[in-house]
Amino acid sequence: MRIGLDVGGTHTDAVLMDGQRVVAHTKAITTADVGSGIETALETILSGVSPTDVELLTIGTTQFTNAVVERKHLSTVAAVRVCLPAGRGLLPRADWPADLVRATDGGNYLIHGGHLYDARELAPVKEAELDELLRTLASTKPSAVVISCAFSPSQPELEQRLAAQIAKALPASRVIASHTMGGLGLIERENASILNAALLNFADHVASALVASSARLGLRCPVYVSQNDGTLIDLERVRQYPALTFASGPTNSLRGAWALTGLSDALVIDVGGTTSDIGVLKNGFPRQSNLVIDVGGARTNFRMPDVLAIGLGGGSEIGEGGVSCGPQSVARELREKALCFGGEVMTLTDIAVSQGRLTITSAVEPHPVDAEVCTAVDRLILEKLNAAVDLMKPGGAILPVVLVGGGAPLIPGDTLADCPIIRPQYADVANAIGASIAQVSGEAEGLHVLTSQSRSEMIDQLTREATERAIAAGAAEASITTVDVEEIDIPYMANETTQISVRVVGDLLLGAN
């Protein structure tokens, strides 16, 4: 059996799965220390079950995203860019919010070196300059150091050599080479690497807490965490790359919708306490965004699901007479403030209760809102959702809309933007189910220059590299399949050049790690 766990801002959802069958499920309140909420959820679903029968615990969490957004638990990071004589015009963290700079600032440094897109050397590294940098870092003592070079994902050797030198000279600092964190775009990759490095100490704390919680409950199974693309990484990798889990929440919901319906291509709406997140399933996996991703005010090139979030959830506050719905929300204070619980704030939950779409046994008022107001609010939220679904339709196609999340019953009707609505069983814990079925992946990216090798040879090479990485991450080799080959033409190059990335996924080989 497997356990899937999703730690959200309001609820911690957990499911115990035996194959595709849901054995037990629960929604617990997310606690301030997170750990006690996790243990409460696990104790509930393990009632009457021996913990030794559990083969795998998989977790989705928003803790690292929240740490960046709230500027909490962040460490100082020195950013070293190998770029001179180019790159003087834009320093690392140049366009970050001031409070995020203050929370992570361990200094910015530019030194000579680097390569062009076709591997020609931009400038040699100056050893005297490097020695001076090491003396400075030894004095300032940043918690972590990030090394970034242009085109390093396709030419990582220089970053690797410099990272090894710095790690040897500064044994107390963690050193991250940027090619391990993102794609070719230098600024976005550098930003992603700095955010990740700033979270390393917190990641150690979180990973250790997860291990301790599972041990206290008698679980002896491996613990994995779901990452942005819907696949898994083990806790040791989380300690090194916590930023890879930034989007695990919406990703798990999308994968859970696939597991509950079997629909490989569909639109999915995850209705929560404050927002509704709308995404697209493509071949059973979340459609990835090709845009620059903003995390806490910093531009990054993480691979993230293409999700549209609108301020509409169970805690959304209703304006007088039903003229507005959200984005303000009572969120986790729903049970204290909503009319149906005896409070004084009209929420979307009150509308659903009054319309009979939602039954809450602990509610003290079964019909807290007049029918005329309910009708106005229903019309308003349908207008919002119809527009959002229209925007997210792939090519305007009519696809099923799967409603998941604890707030799914809040949505009226049978269609949205002419797409039929599907309401699967266990929709309220779809995110935890998505975590429980996650696979492991491998990805490789490179630049294809027309005159160097054929396109198919390049894709074969990248597929082999991606497969090796998936196996190293714990995938069973026989189960690995290619799920995505992406090609983007690079303008302004002397030769016809294309950026190609390949992603493969496979089932986790339990006992491999």
Side-chain angles (χ1 to χ4, degrees), residues 244-261:
L244 296 181
T245 71
F246 276 162
S248 63
T251 297
N252 285 341
S253 297
L254 286 158
R255 287 287 288 159
W258 170 80
L260 290 171
T261 64

PDB file of all heavy atoms in Angstrom, residues 244-261:
ATOM      1  N   LEU A 244      12.568  22.625  -6.495  1.00  0.00           N
ATOM      2  CA  LEU A 244      11.899  21.787  -7.489  1.00  0.00           C
ATOM      3  C   LEU A 244      10.498  21.384  -7.057  1.00  0.00           C
ATOM      4  O   LEU A 244       9.757  20.792  -7.833  1.00  0.00           O
ATOM      5  CB  LEU A 244      12.734  20.526  -7.758  1.00  0.00           C
ATOM      6  CG  LEU A 244      14.110  20.747  -8.377  1.00  0.00           C
ATOM      7  CD1 LEU A 244      14.810  19.414  -8.606  1.00  0.00           C
ATOM      8  CD2 LEU A 244      13.995  21.510  -9.697  1.00  0.00           C
ATOM      9  N   THR A 245      10.116  21.702  -5.808  1.00  0.00           N
ATOM     10  CA  THR A 245       8.788  21.327  -5.319  1.00  0.00           C
ATOM     11  C   THR A 245       7.818  22.508  -5.289  1.00  0.00           C
ATOM     12  O   THR A 245       6.710  22.369  -4.796  1.00  0.00           O
ATOM     13  CB  THR A 245       8.885  20.744  -3.894  1.00  0.00           C
ATOM     14  OG1 THR A 245       9.212  21.801  -2.976  1.00  0.00           O
ATOM     15  CG2 THR A 245       9.951  19.677  -3.798  1.00  0.00           C
ATOM     16  N   PHE A 246       8.219  23.659  -5.830  1.00  0.00           N
ATOM     17  CA  PHE A 246       7.397  24.873  -5.723  1.00  0.00           C
ATOM     18  C   PHE A 246       5.941  24.660  -6.159  1.00  0.00           C
ATOM     19  O   PHE A 246       5.024  25.191  -5.567  1.00  0.00           O
ATOM     20  CB  PHE A 246       8.011  25.995  -6.555  1.00  0.00           C
ATOM     21  CG  PHE A 246       9.099  26.764  -5.851  1.00  0.00           C
ATOM     22  CD1 PHE A 246       9.994  27.532  -6.579  1.00  0.00           C
ATOM     23  CD2 PHE A 246       9.241  26.731  -4.489  1.00  0.00           C
ATOM     24  CE1 PHE A 246      11.002  28.254  -5.947  1.00  0.00           C
ATOM     25  CE2 PHE A 246      10.243  27.440  -3.834  1.00  0.00           C
ATOM     26  CZ  PHE A 246      11.123  28.201  -4.572  1.00  0.00           C
ATOM     27  N   ALA A 247       5.713  23.920  -7.246  1.00  0.00           N
ATOM     28  CA  ALA A 247       4.360  23.815  -7.823  1.00  0.00           C
ATOM     29  C   ALA A 247       3.739  22.444  -7.584  1.00  0.00           C
ATOM     30  O   ALA A 247       2.862  22.026  -8.333  1.00  0.00           O
ATOM     31  CB  ALA A 247       4.407  24.109  -9.322  1.00  0.00           C
ATOM     32  N   SER A 248       4.181  21.750  -6.536  1.00  0.00           N
ATOM     33  CA  SER A 248       3.683  20.387  -6.352  1.00  0.00           C
ATOM     34  C   SER A 248       2.195  20.352  -6.035  1.00  0.00           C
ATOM     35  O   SER A 248       1.509  19.379  -6.374  1.00  0.00           O
ATOM     36  CB  SER A 248       4.470  19.684  -5.246  1.00  0.00           C
ATOM     37  OG  SER A 248       4.292  20.339  -4.007  1.00  0.00           O
ATOM     38  N   GLY A 249       1.643  21.403  -5.405  1.00  0.00           N
ATOM     39  CA  GLY A 249       0.222  21.409  -5.062  1.00  0.00           C
ATOM     40  C   GLY A 249      -0.696  21.304  -6.272  1.00  0.00           C
ATOM     41  O   GLY A 249      -1.446  20.326  -6.420  1.00  0.00           O
ATOM     42  N   PRO A 250      -0.666  22.289  -7.193  1.00  0.00           N
ATOM     43  CA  PRO A 250      -1.527  22.182  -8.373  1.00  0.00           C
ATOM     44  C   PRO A 250      -1.198  20.992  -9.254  1.00  0.00           C
ATOM     45  O   PRO A 250      -2.078  20.393  -9.889  1.00  0.00           O
ATOM     46  CB  PRO A 250      -1.288  23.508  -9.112  1.00  0.00           C
ATOM     47  CG  PRO A 250      -0.060  24.094  -8.527  1.00  0.00           C
ATOM     48  CD  PRO A 250       0.041  23.577  -7.125  1.00  0.00           C
ATOM     49  N   THR A 251       0.079  20.602  -9.295  1.00  0.00           N
ATOM     50  CA  THR A 251       0.456  19.439 -10.103  1.00  0.00           C
ATOM     51  C   THR A 251      -0.207  18.179  -9.569  1.00  0.00           C
ATOM     52  O   THR A 251      -0.735  17.361 -10.342  1.00  0.00           O
ATOM     53  CB  THR A 251       1.986  19.266 -10.096  1.00  0.00           C
ATOM     54  OG1 THR A 251       2.578  20.406 -10.709  1.00  0.00           O
ATOM     55  CG2 THR A 251       2.402  18.025 -10.859  1.00  0.00           C
ATOM     56  N   ASN A 252      -0.203  17.998  -8.253  1.00  0.00           N
ATOM     57  CA  ASN A 252      -0.837  16.815  -7.670  1.00  0.00           C
ATOM     58  C   ASN A 252      -2.336  16.776  -7.958  1.00  0.00           C
ATOM     59  O   ASN A 252      -2.903  15.715  -8.186  1.00  0.00           O
ATOM     60  CB  ASN A 252      -0.598  16.794  -6.157  1.00  0.00           C
ATOM     61  CG  ASN A 252       0.814  16.385  -5.806  1.00  0.00           C
ATOM     62  OD1 ASN A 252       1.509  15.788  -6.620  1.00  0.00           O
ATOM     63  ND2 ASN A 252       1.244  16.723  -4.610  1.00  0.00           N
ATOM     64  N   SER A 253      -2.987  17.936  -7.922  1.00  0.00           N
ATOM     65  CA  SER A 253      -4.423  17.968  -8.216  1.00  0.00           C
ATOM     66  C   SER A 253      -4.702  17.514  -9.641  1.00  0.00           C
ATOM     67  O   SER A 253      -5.653  16.759  -9.901  1.00  0.00           O
ATOM     68  CB  SER A 253      -4.960  19.388  -8.005  1.00  0.00           C
ATOM     69  OG  SER A 253      -4.831  19.772  -6.658  1.00  0.00           O
ATOM     70  N   LEU A 254      -3.875  17.973 -10.581  1.00  0.00           N
ATOM     71  CA  LEU A 254      -4.063  17.583 -11.980  1.00  0.00           C
ATOM     72  C   LEU A 254      -3.833  16.085 -12.172  1.00  0.00           C
ATOM     73  O   LEU A 254      -4.601  15.405 -12.853  1.00  0.00           O
ATOM     74  CB  LEU A 254      -3.108  18.388 -12.864  1.00  0.00           C
ATOM     75  CG  LEU A 254      -3.505  19.852 -13.076  1.00  0.00           C
ATOM     76  CD1 LEU A 254      -2.302  20.696 -13.485  1.00  0.00           C
ATOM     77  CD2 LEU A 254      -4.586  19.967 -14.131  1.00  0.00           C
ATOM     78  N   ARG A 255      -2.787  15.575 -11.552  1.00  0.00           N
ATOM     79  CA  ARG A 255      -2.512  14.139 -11.687  1.00  0.00           C
ATOM     80  C   ARG A 255      -3.597  13.319 -10.983  1.00  0.00           C
ATOM     81  O   ARG A 255      -3.979  12.237 -11.442  1.00  0.00           O
ATOM     82  CB  ARG A 255      -1.138  13.831 -11.101  1.00  0.00           C
ATOM     83  CG  ARG A 255       0.009  14.314 -11.965  1.00  0.00           C
ATOM     84  CD  ARG A 255       0.175  13.453 -13.215  1.00  0.00           C
ATOM     85  NE  ARG A 255       0.729  12.151 -12.871  1.00  0.00           N
ATOM     86  CZ  ARG A 255       0.615  11.077 -13.636  1.00  0.00           C
ATOM     87  NH1 ARG A 255      -0.067  11.134 -14.767  1.00  0.00           N
ATOM     88  NH2 ARG A 255       1.147   9.928 -13.264  1.00  0.00           N
ATOM     89  N   GLY A 256      -4.093  13.834  -9.853  1.00  0.00           N
ATOM     90  CA  GLY A 256      -5.173  13.141  -9.172  1.00  0.00           C
ATOM     91  C   GLY A 256      -6.437  13.093 -10.014  1.00  0.00           C
ATOM     92  O   GLY A 256      -7.149  12.084 -10.039  1.00  0.00           O
ATOM     93  N   ALA A 257      -6.718  14.173 -10.739  1.00  0.00           N
ATOM     94  CA  ALA A 257      -7.883  14.188 -11.632  1.00  0.00           C
ATOM     95  C   ALA A 257      -7.729  13.133 -12.713  1.00  0.00           C
ATOM     96  O   ALA A 257      -8.705  12.456 -13.089  1.00  0.00           O
ATOM     97  CB  ALA A 257      -8.034  15.576 -12.248  1.00  0.00           C
ATOM     98  N   TRP A 258      -6.524  12.976 -13.225  1.00  0.00           N
ATOM     99  CA  TRP A 258      -6.280  11.922 -14.216  1.00  0.00           C
ATOM    100  C   TRP A 258      -6.540  10.545 -13.609  1.00  0.00           C
ATOM    101  O   TRP A 258      -7.181   9.685 -14.223  1.00  0.00           O
ATOM    102  CB  TRP A 258      -4.842  12.015 -14.733  1.00  0.00           C
ATOM    103  CG  TRP A 258      -4.438  10.839 -15.555  1.00  0.00           C
ATOM    104  CD1 TRP A 258      -4.733  10.598 -16.866  1.00  0.00           C
ATOM    105  CD2 TRP A 258      -3.695   9.690 -15.106  1.00  0.00           C
ATOM    106  NE1 TRP A 258      -4.217   9.393 -17.266  1.00  0.00           N
ATOM    107  CE2 TRP A 258      -3.575   8.806 -16.205  1.00  0.00           C
ATOM    108  CE3 TRP A 258      -3.111   9.332 -13.895  1.00  0.00           C
ATOM    109  CZ2 TRP A 258      -2.891   7.592 -16.111  1.00  0.00           C
ATOM    110  CZ3 TRP A 258      -2.433   8.122 -13.805  1.00  0.00           C
ATOM    111  CH2 TRP A 258      -2.331   7.269 -14.902  1.00  0.00           C
ATOM    112  N   ALA A 259      -6.026  10.298 -12.385  1.00  0.00           N
ATOM    113  CA  ALA A 259      -6.194   8.994 -11.749  1.00  0.00           C
ATOM    114  C   ALA A 259      -7.663   8.682 -11.472  1.00  0.00           C
ATOM    115  O   ALA A 259      -8.096   7.537 -11.591  1.00  0.00           O
ATOM    116  CB  ALA A 259      -5.398   8.957 -10.441  1.00  0.00           C
ATOM    117  N   LEU A 260      -8.442   9.697 -11.114  1.00  0.00           N
ATOM    118  CA  LEU A 260      -9.844   9.479 -10.751  1.00  0.00           C
ATOM    119  C   LEU A 260     -10.746   9.302 -11.974  1.00  0.00           C
ATOM    120  O   LEU A 260     -11.825   8.714 -11.869  1.00  0.00           O
ATOM    121  CB  LEU A 260     -10.352  10.661  -9.912  1.00  0.00           C
ATOM    122  CG  LEU A 260      -9.772  10.775  -8.498  1.00  0.00           C
ATOM    123  CD1 LEU A 260     -10.179  12.091  -7.852  1.00  0.00           C
ATOM    124  CD2 LEU A 260     -10.218   9.592  -7.646  1.00  0.00           C
ATOM    125  N   THR A 261     -10.352   9.836 -13.119  1.00  0.00           N
ATOM    126  CA  THR A 261     -11.224   9.788 -14.296  1.00  0.00           C
ATOM    127  C   THR A 261     -10.658   8.968 -15.453  1.00  0.00           C
ATOM    128  O   THR A 261     -11.407   8.550 -16.335  1.00  0.00           O
ATOM    129  CB  THR A 261     -11.478  11.215 -14.825  1.00  0.00           C
ATOM    130  OG1 THR A 261     -10.231  11.783 -15.279  1.00  0.00           O
ATOM    131  CG2 THR A 261     -12.069  12.106 -13.738  1.00  0.00           C
TER     132      THR A 261
END
